[in-house]
Amino acid sequence: MDAEEIVKLTPDAIRGLIDMHRVDAVPKQAPGLRREERWPFPGTVEVWLPEGSYGDRHILATLHNLSTHGLAMRARRPIAKDTVISLAIHQPAQSCYGTGIVRHCTRAHVGYLIGVEFTFDPEDETDTDKR
């Protein structure tokens, strides 16, 4: 991968990733409960935890699903709700880097399912994102 394929995490960058891998999916939530559909999305998420975090501050997780404003990932260790993390989503065509806030962390059969809401710079969001 060339350096040009490593881009800042923005709604448009995420839409591009989703459009490259869009698959048919059955909504798991009733209409109106989420801003947008979450798409099953295999891949790797690299996570950097803030200073003062217990244990390793750099971990790798498995991407579970992706939407324009967040993702779910599976990790071997928990991350506390409301933790601000730095992350990178790695795909063959492109990697995106940015920040997010952990919204939930649920114990799963193997490891933890962690929901993350992306945080964007105000200039990276467009009027169509504010729904």
Side-chain angles (χ1 to χ4, degrees), residues 24-29 37:
D24 290 333
V26 176
K28 293 182 180 181
Q29 301 282 332
E37 183 62 42

Side-chain angles (χ1 to χ4, degrees), residues 58-107:
H58 178 254
I59 63 172
L60 295 177
T62 302
L63 185 57
H64 181 66
N65 65 42
L66 182 67
S67 75
T68 309
H69 288 85
L71 61 79
M73 61 185 177
R74 294 189 183 274
R76 292 184 185 203
R77 65 164 286 178
I79 302 174
K81 181 181 175 188
D82 297 326
T83 300
V84 176
I85 60 172
S86 296
L87 57 94
I89 302 168
H90 296 293
Q91 293 291 306
Q94 173 178 293
S95 286
C96 298
Y97 66 92
T99 59
I101 300 171
V102 174
R103 293 302 183 196
H104 70 82
C105 181
T106 308
R107 188 171 195 73

